[in-house]
Amino acid sequence: MEERIGVFVCHCGTNIAGTVDVKRVAEELAGYPGVAHSTDYTYMCSDPGQNLVKEAIKEHDLTGVIVAACSPTLHEATFRRAGTAAGMNPYQVEISNIREQCSWVHQGDKEAATEKAIRTIKVMIEKARLDEALEPISVPMTPRALVVGGGIAGIQAALDIANSGHEVVLVEKDASIGGHMAQLSETFPTLDCSQCIMTPKMVEVAQHPRVKLMTYSEVDDVSGFVGNFKVKIRKKASYVNRDVCTGCGLCSEKCPAKAPSEFDEGLAERPVIYTPFPQAVPNKPVLDAEHCTYFLKDGKCGVCAKVCPLDCIDYEQKDEIVEEEVGAIVVATGYDLYPIENMGEYGGGKYPDVVTSLQFERMLSASGPTGGEVRRPSDNEVPKEVVFLTCCGSRDPESHLPYCSKVCCMYLTKHAMLYKHNAHEGQAYVFYMDVRTGGKGYEEFYTRAAEEDDVLYIRGKVSKIFEEDGKVMVWGVDTLSGKKIEIAADMAVLGLATVPNKAAGELANMLKLHQNEWGFLSEAHPKLRPVESLAPGFYIAGAAQGPKDIPESVAQASGAASKVASLFAETEYHREPIIACIDEDTCAGCKVCVSVCPYDAAEFDEKDKVARIKEAICEGCGACIAACPSGSASQKNLTDEQLYKMVSAALEV
Amino acid sequence: MKIPYYPGCTLHERARDFDDSAKACASALGVELEELPIWTCCGAVYPLVTDSVMDVLAGVRNLSYASRIGDKVVTLCSFCYNVLKRSNNVMRVDLDKREKANLFLRADTAAREKVESYTLEDYEGQVEVLHYIEMLRDVVGYDKLAEAVSKKLDGLKVAPYYGCMLLRPKKEMNFDDPEQPTIFEEFLEAIGCDVVDFPMKTECCGGFQVVNDEELAVSCSQNVVVSALKRDADVIVTTCPLCRYNLDRHQEKMAERISGFTKVPVVYFTQLLGLALGLGKEHLDFTDNTVDPMPVLAEKSLI
Amino acid sequence: MRLRLTIDMVRDEVLDRVETLSGQQLLACYQCGRCSAGCPVVDEMDIIPSEVIRLLQLGQVGEVLNSKTIWTCASCLQCASRCPKGVEFSNICDALRAIVLRTRLSEPRLDADEVTPVMVSDAPQMGVVGALRKLNG
């Protein structure tokens, strides 16, 4: 069939035309074999520009289109849609990148840039001449979602997806959902009781008919692709039959052994068989085998099994693997604090009265280790002077982390205020470099702290903290007055940096999700696609993506949920057809393709003795094509013949 | 085994007690400290300006001498350790300075005449600079050290004072954590002392400023000594003659200013090591100390 | 009286010299003050370390070269060790001293003759050598 290719050279304003002589390019290509129409235009991506394509397709009976413009990541979809609208198969519309790969990098040499543009377009013309019409591959969509992480972001995402009519599996590694928000006493800037606003959501998600809640569980393995994931979830052995257990609490009450409480950040102990906090959801205990006398001392003890009225204790219980099929995965694994031991200059981990922000939070909490009173861990006295330090580990590219953790200025202000509400005669000092109060009502909150609660803000970074005569000595500075400051405080609270939750790193590696150098999950585009990963079917929400406060985490969770709902709006998922295929006539049955495929997309048919590609799974990576010794494997619309002609055009041979 | 040793000028003069005890201890542990056949003052301070090759030459030359007899050089004085280690780093990474320094080294004919087999080989940082205590930890081993102890210093509360130059700058010195170091604590535990951790162990004693403004050094030293005193230290150990001088000499003034001040003797860590290894009294020379350590050592029945 | 900032003042060539000599980038300092907070001899200084850098950022080189501060520094490197931006104030001090000593802008802070006999006969020579190199050039 005669090839009739249309070439459209975009000026892109001066982005391309400023360096490349676009008119000349269009003129020269008009005479190239296979080209039936060649023109240039200022902004091809505009409506008139797209119309040029559509009209030309009809008028010149084009068999293929080349739009020579910016990178295909920007407008390939635009022009494929335009082609489709005019009756052309979208896979016969190609983009030739003469901007990022030509005009933008050769601004000094216009002549060379123009020559290069011409050659670049010739390469794509050669490809287009042999392009076939292809149809997207449809695969069924499993309209169920997996949400990993049961903190506020995970809970919100699960609720929103479930409320949009789809089933959700919510997996949480700890015994209860709630995450760090459950540990907080009050939240800024409203000073709402954290548990009071959160528990309704926790209960709602646990009781939601479309939510399958799996706590004390972790994701073990994920295979498949968007719309068709197979997930293996490990239900960790809790040694309690949590389906039968009514949460009466007798086992915890009678348990003789203790371990440091994770929920209370090590400030108190908990029994070995425990629920993490009173409002836990589900309110069913788990047994911590690492500290359990029964497990450590060969069956000694067993008190919990003896007292349980419903016989729920099962020391033989094993981890259980549950398999789920889902179409989308939302990762909301949250944050941890930068380890206090890393702050050697502040005696982190060495002095009991130098505490982390989460530890202080637990002290402020009414259900916490000190019953809601601020007390010194060393002697349980009420501190009269407390120093709060911002930027412990943050904004320190030299020794710690370069980024700002966003929430510490606000929560330390809150801590200072709550301390004052608690200990009316006390004095709070906050050492800061900049007080960052960007959210709604945040600046006003900070004003309240200074004006209503007499919090003294001192502009300077503390150099050293040490203990002397039972006091916490703080050596700082006030840069505004130029004075070196020393405070003999009773307690110091470190505003430690937020880092991604440790467990999340392994998960991200397993899911092959991109992380930045600090381990935060990477969004697809920093401005325009904040809740999606580049990997199709994976969405991210909350502090796992970067330090953020509760309103932002909730907003991102709802955003991710809406993306999932959009995905599930179609009953089928359409995959790109630019994948591998095997010529069964020449296939020798050597099975090399099967062994090299990283996606398990190649399978060998024992009966016909040939290899076949599973179209639903193939990602078009090309490994089998390169490996096939008989040359039977090829890529649709990127065949060896096309590549040969493209390279020849590029080298002008 | 033999290991090249650079004493530095102060150890041959004002701090002979340090040099002597160090050599005796090493010998008792089976290590012969082979003093470099030729060496000069290292310059005492490492230049913090970037354009100076002349200012690092003294350190580089000594390293070059050390490279003739071995691939390591052990030193004791904190200032020397800092200068040698930083000069060594500069030879390893700054090719321009290395080239210029070697031009000077090649002109060092006097050295060639003094030392046999002195070949003209460029210095490129091939020597490893070790502090004596790194030698104890890595070459001898703290466990072997503990075995060699004949007199455990039970009941002696010792505060290890690190000072500045051993630890900073962190990346170049790579000696220990500059905020919460432990290398001396581990050493003291190995020889049976009760270790006193005190917050000012990494704060400056005043250093060379004592020459210009004595009061400054008194104030800095007081901060350190009082901190150790508050933690009930019997003795402060150090590895720097200037630190020893500052912390020790100014205690008269401290006693005048602070009521209830008790003097705390300041000794070199090798002197305590000598005591623990059972070396004779001749290696326990405290004539240079203003605050005499003998009473507290006698009180603890250690001598 | 207002400090009139001009492009020539904040881009004074001397500032380039200070940066080159010290190997530090003055505008990297975000004025947290930690250097001042941890300096063991700050009580004897007339301008605290973070302020020295601030004055340099504002082009006020003269005021800094005339200060007592640069002669008080003991080169203990605590400032450099703790700076979150990796700015080594100790090195800036050395550079400022070098500018004064090399150009003989003023007399050296320590005169060799003034080193008291007690110091010479009593102090460890490393202290005398160090002091003369830092304060006399």
Side-chain angles (χ1 to χ4, degrees):
Chain A
M1 198 190 94
E2 192 207 342
E3 294 130 10
R4 301 180 57 72
I5 310 287
V7 175
F8 304 83
V9 186
C10 186
H11 296 212
C12 194
T14 54
N15 274 316
I16 297 175
T19 308
V20 170
D21 184 347
V22 287
K23 289 219 175 297
R24 201 184 108 205
V25 170
E27 277 160 17
E28 280 207 29
L29 288 169
Y32 192 75
V35 175
H37 174 72
S38 180
T39 186
D40 63 280
Y41 186 68
T42 39
Y43 293 105
M44 282 302 301
C45 56
S46 65
D47 278 347
Q50 292 178 47
N51 283 334
L52 276 183
V53 174
K54 292 179 196 169
E55 282 156 15
I57 290 173
K58 296 195 183 110
E59 202 183 309
H60 299 277
D61 205 16
L62 297 178
T63 56
V65 161
I66 309 291
V67 178
C70 53
S71 161
T73 57
L74 297 160
H75 281 298
E76 183 180 71
T78 311
F79 293 108
R80 286 205 173 152
R81 276 195 298 269
T84 309
M88 175 174 276
N89 183 282
Y91 297 97
Q92 289 171 313
V93 175
E94 297 283 3
I95 304 292
S96 175
N97 185 345
I98 59 167
R99 191 182 74 173
E100 281 86 339
Q101 295 189 350
C102 189
S103 69
W104 271 359
V105 293
H106 299 302
Q107 283 170 352
D109 190 341
K110 294 190 179 164
E111 183 56 40
T114 306
E115 285 303 318
K116 182 174 172 179
I118 293 170
R119 265 205 239 186
T120 306
I121 298 167
K122 283 179 183 171
V123 167
M124 293 315 283
I125 295 172
E126 289 299 337
K127 179 178 195 281
R129 288 173 70 185
L130 293 170
D131 274 343
E132 288 175 356
L134 299 174
E135 292 305 317
I137 297 156
S138 297
V139 291
M141 164 82 67
T142 310
R144 295 174 86 232
L146 170 70
V147 175
V148 185
I152 185 63
I155 291 171
Q156 187 65 49
L159 280 172
D160 287 344
I161 296 170
N163 284 334
S164 71
H166 304 290
E167 281 177 19
V168 180
V169 179
L170 176 56
V171 173
E172 164 55 50
K173 67 168 169 47
D174 288 338
S176 165
I177 51 175
H180 285 300
M181 188 175 167
Q183 290 176 294
L184 307 182
S185 71
E186 289 166 56
T187 57
F188 58 77
T190 50
L191 295 184
D192 272 312
C193 152
S194 182
Q195 297 253 358
C196 304
I197 57 176
M198 195 184 197
T199 45
K201 286 197 196 258
M202 285 164 65
V203 171
E204 193 189 341
V205 83
Q207 293 177 345
H208 201 293
R210 281 191 282 273
V211 175
K212 180 175 177 181
L213 180 60
M214 295 178 68
T215 55
Y216 213 56
S217 304
E218 295 187 41
V219 172
D220 233 30
D221 186 64
V222 172
S223 61
F225 54 95
V226 57
N228 294 273
F229 290 114
K230 283 196 173 39
V231 185
K232 292 200 177 109
I233 298 165
R234 176 180 297 274
K235 270 179 81 169
K236 299 185 287 195
S238 59
Y239 307 103
V240 173
N241 186 340
R242 290 171 111 212
D243 294 326
V244 175
C245 170
T246 56
C248 71
L250 211 52
C251 53
S252 303
E253 206 186 299
K254 300 292 182 195
C255 175
K258 300 259 179 278
S261 166
E262 296 86 347
F263 190 78
D264 281 332
E265 297 290 323
L267 289 177
E269 288 182 320
R270 54 151 177 80
V272 163
I273 182 165
Y274 71 104
T275 46
F277 54 100
Q279 302 93 328
V281 169
N283 200 342
K284 313 268 173 88
V286 296
L287 191 153
D288 166 18
E290 278 178 44
H291 292 101
C292 173
T293 313
Y294 183 93
F295 285 98
L296 293 173
K297 297 215 173 116
D298 251 347
K300 259 187 140 171
C301 191
V303 167
C304 50
K306 290 187 199 113
V307 304
C308 176
L310 293 170
D311 226 359
C312 297
I313 310 295
D314 176 10
Y315 298 113
E316 305 305 312
Q317 198 185 81
K318 302 268 173 277
D319 288 357
E320 189 192 327
I321 305 288
V322 173
E323 294 198 15
E324 294 283 350
E325 286 182 13
V326 297
I329 300 177
V330 178
V331 183
T333 44
Y335 71 92
D336 271 334
L337 287 183
Y338 190 61
I340 197 176
E341 295 77 22
N342 290 4
M343 308 302 301
E345 60 270 44
Y346 297 157
K350 197 168 166 178
Y351 305 125
D353 294 328
V354 176
V355 300
T356 70
S357 40
L358 274 175
Q359 284 178 323
F360 195 72
E361 200 72 54
R362 291 310 302 146
M363 281 189 211
L364 292 168
S365 170
S367 62
T370 53
E373 289 186 0
V374 176
R375 299 260 170 182
R376 280 161 45 104
S378 62
D379 58 10
N380 212 40
E381 291 294 313
V382 175
K384 210 152 173 236
E385 294 179 272
V386 180
V387 172
F388 299 88
L389 285 80
T390 58
C391 298
C392 292
S394 305
R395 299 182 64 187
D396 191 332
E398 186 63 16
S399 313
H400 302 289
L401 301 165
Y403 55 85
C404 167
S405 292
K406 202 165 191 187
V407 293
C408 335
C409 282
M410 282 303 290
Y411 75 57
L412 288 172
T413 294
K414 174 191 76 171
H415 282 173
M417 289 167 76
L418 292 177
Y419 161 65
K420 284 301 302 275
H421 297 175
N422 209 271
H424 301 291
E425 301 306 314
Q427 177 63 46
Y429 306 93
V430 180
F431 278 95
Y432 72 99
M433 294 204 280
D434 300 285
V435 180
R436 296 184 165 173
T437 53
K440 195 169 187 177
Y442 288 13
E443 178 65 19
E444 295 89 323
F445 184 72
Y446 164 41
T447 306
R448 265 176 71 185
E451 295 180 12
E452 288 176 31
D453 289 313
D454 298 329
V455 176
L456 183 61
Y457 282 84
I458 304 174
R459 194 196 176 273
K461 195 171 170 77
V462 169
S463 182
K464 191 177 169 106
I465 296 181
F466 58 98
E467 227 166 56
E468 195 98 292
D469 300 328
K471 291 281 193 186
V472 174
M473 304 302 292
V474 177
W475 279 2
V477 68
D478 179 63
T479 58
L480 299 179
S481 65
K483 294 200 189 299
K484 191 170 94 166
I485 304 280
E486 180 183 72
I487 300 179
D490 296 302
M491 215 163 134
V493 180
L494 303 191
L496 293 161
T498 53
V499 297
N501 184 299
K502 316 186 238 341
E506 289 153 23
L507 180 72
N509 285 334
M510 186 209 307
L511 301 178
K512 299 193 185 62
L513 291 181
H514 195 264
Q515 298 163 275
N516 77 357
E517 82 188 280
W518 311 108
F520 288 109
L521 297 177
S522 298
E523 59 289 320
H525 188 278
K527 290 287 198 187
L528 300 179
R529 297 178 68 193
V531 295
E532 308 161 76
S533 168
L534 273 173
F538 290 96
Y539 304 90
I540 56 186
Q545 182 260 353
K548 59 177 62 70
D549 55 24
I550 293 165
E552 287 175 333
S553 299
V554 173
Q556 279 201 341
S558 295
S562 94
K563 294 282 179 189
V564 170
S566 308
L567 182 68
F568 292 170
E570 304 283 332
T571 51
E572 286 182 331
Y573 181 73
H574 300 290
R575 307 191 72 236
E576 284 285 302
I578 306 171
I579 55 172
C581 58
I582 294 179
D583 183 345
E584 296 184 17
D585 292 335
T586 57
C587 170
C590 71
K591 301 191 215 169
V592 167
C593 55
V594 176
S595 61
V596 303
C597 178
Y599 302 99
D600 287 331
E603 62 182 356
F604 187 69
D605 185 327
E606 291 293 344
K607 189 166 76 66
D608 297 337
K609 297 276 191 269
V610 288
R612 291 202 178 90
I613 301 295
K614 290 186 265 188
E615 292 192 338
I617 304 176
C618 174
E619 292 285 335
C621 74
C624 58
I625 297 158
C628 176
S630 61
S632 310
S634 64
Q635 187 139 9
K636 300 225 177 114
N637 278 6
L638 205 57
T639 60
D640 284 353
E641 193 189 347
Q642 278 171 299
L643 285 171
Y644 181 79
K645 295 229 159 73
M646 287 162 79
V647 171
S648 305
L651 301 175
E652 287 190 344
V653 293
Chain B
M1 62 163 297
K2 275 193 198 182
I3 197 165
Y5 169 55
Y6 173 80
C9 46
T10 310
L11 260 78
H12 263 215
E13 287 294 319
R14 300 261 177 265
R16 278 197 212 109
D17 45 354
F18 197 7
D19 181 55
D20 175 71
S21 53
K23 284 200 186 108
C25 290
S27 194
L29 292 167
V31 177
E32 190 199 318
L33 292 181
E34 189 184 349
E35 192 169 315
L36 302 193
I38 170 170
W39 58 268
T40 65
C41 170
C42 68
V45 289
Y46 184 79
L48 302 178
V49 291
T50 56
D51 64 350
S52 185
V53 175
M54 294 293 287
D55 286 342
V56 298
L57 273 182
V60 172
R61 191 163 56 181
N62 286 303
L63 290 166
S64 166
Y65 295 152
S67 71
R68 303 291 177 259
I69 59 168
D71 60 4
K72 293 188 190 5
V73 67
V74 168
T75 189
L76 277 160
C77 163
S78 299
F79 266 35
C80 298
Y81 179 58
N82 188 283
V83 170
L84 289 181
K85 197 147 187 189
R86 296 192 76 179
S87 306
N88 207 29
N89 287 340
V90 126
M91 286 297 107
R92 287 175 177 183
V93 306
D94 188 327
L95 299 177
D96 184 51
K97 289 205 175 117
R98 185 202 292 179
E99 198 188 304
K100 292 191 176 127
N102 277 305
L103 289 174
F104 282 99
L105 290 182
R106 284 179 213 146
D108 191 5
T109 48
R112 256 181 284 153
E113 279 155 27
K114 245 191 176 163
V115 182
E116 269 179 49
S117 73
Y118 185 98
T119 53
L120 198 63
E121 201 184 277
D122 274 0
Y123 187 72
E124 293 177 0
Q126 46 276 44
V127 167
E128 195 193 336
V129 177
L130 281 182
H131 188 276
Y132 188 101
I133 198 157
E134 289 178 305
M135 181 193 78
L136 286 182
R137 184 189 63 187
D138 301 333
V139 177
V140 175
Y142 282 163
D143 43 358
K144 287 226 170 44
L145 185 66
E147 279 164 23
V149 167
S150 60
K151 182 188 224 56
K152 283 196 95 161
L153 304 178
D154 268 327
L156 186 67
K157 299 200 281 276
V158 184
Y161 174 64
Y162 287 79
C164 313
M165 293 290 105
L166 286 180
L167 300 165
R168 303 189 278 270
K170 176 182 178 175
K171 284 183 196 140
E172 280 192 59
M173 297 312 290
N174 200 28
F175 177 75
D176 201 344
D177 183 271
E179 300 295 349
Q180 305 287 348
T182 53
I183 191 173
F184 272 103
E185 281 82 343
E186 287 160 12
F187 158 75
L188 290 170
E189 274 163 11
I191 62 171
C193 303
D194 292 345
V195 180
V196 174
D197 187 28
F198 66 112
M200 296 298 138
K201 66 185 182 183
T202 59
E203 297 292 318
C204 185
C205 67
F208 60 79
Q209 285 288 2
V210 67
V211 176
N212 176 44
D213 181 351
E214 194 179 13
E215 189 47 47
L216 197 71
V218 175
S219 158
C220 289
S221 304
Q222 186 169 300
N223 178 41
V224 175
V225 174
V226 168
S227 177
L229 192 56
K230 279 195 165 161
R231 305 273 162 149
D232 268 336
D234 293 321
V235 151
I236 296 174
V237 287
T238 177
T239 177
C240 173
L242 192 51
C243 296
R244 204 279 296 270
Y245 179 81
N246 277 324
L247 297 183
D248 175 58
R249 279 290 186 281
H250 304 306
Q251 290 198 30
E252 288 293 340
K253 293 219 169 88
M254 294 178 210
E256 284 164 28
R257 295 168 195 198
I258 303 173
S259 69
F261 181 85
T262 327
K263 292 190 186 160
V264 186
V266 183
V267 302
Y268 296 113
F269 75 98
T270 46
Q271 289 173 315
L272 272 193
L273 178 58
L275 190 60
L277 291 176
L279 300 184
K281 272 233 176 81
E282 67 271 25
H283 297 296
L284 280 184
D285 176 13
F286 296 125
T287 45
D288 233 352
N289 291 53
T290 321
V291 181
D292 190 2
M294 288 305 217
V296 74
L297 293 176
E299 190 196 311
K300 304 276 172 172
S301 310
L302 295 172
I303 44 156
Chain C
M1 205 201 82
R2 302 227 174 109
L3 173 61
R4 183 39 119 76
L5 283 185
T6 62
I7 186 172
D8 291 327
M9 188 181 273
V10 301
R11 300 250 193 104
D12 194 333
E13 269 172 11
V14 183
L15 296 175
D16 283 338
R17 187 86 188 108
V18 173
E19 287 195 328
T20 312
L21 257 187
S22 65
Q24 306 303 310
Q25 200 187 353
L26 294 170
L27 290 176
C29 167
Y30 58 22
Q31 291 288 298
C32 74
R34 208 183 206 202
C35 47
S36 307
C39 175
V41 296
V42 70
D43 291 334
E44 292 304 310
M45 292 177 166
D46 52 352
I47 311 176
I48 65 176
S50 46
E51 267 183 8
V52 168
I53 302 184
R54 187 60 183 161
L55 289 169
L56 290 173
Q57 289 175 339
L58 294 174
Q60 307 304 299
V61 193
E63 194 175 335
V64 160
L65 290 175
N66 279 329
S67 70
K68 186 184 173 208
T69 294
I70 61 179
W71 306 103
T72 313
C73 173
S75 299
C76 80
L77 307 184
Q78 192 73 285
C79 50
S81 180
R82 298 219 174 115
C83 176
K85 294 299 294 291
V87 175
E88 296 167 292
F89 176 72
S90 43
N91 300 30
I92 294 176
C93 261
D94 245 37
L96 293 168
R97 280 196 293 252
I99 290 174
V100 172
L101 292 169
R102 292 180 192 183
T103 61
R104 273 304 191 251
L105 201 63
S106 63
E107 285 308 304
R109 184 52 57 118
L110 181 68
D111 212 312
D113 297 332
E114 282 176 36
V115 179
T116 66
V118 169
M119 281 296 137
V120 173
S121 64
D122 190 36
Q125 55 266 62
M126 56 198 274
V128 178
V129 172
L132 285 170
R133 289 188 76 194
K134 289 274 180 178
L135 307 172
N136 182 286

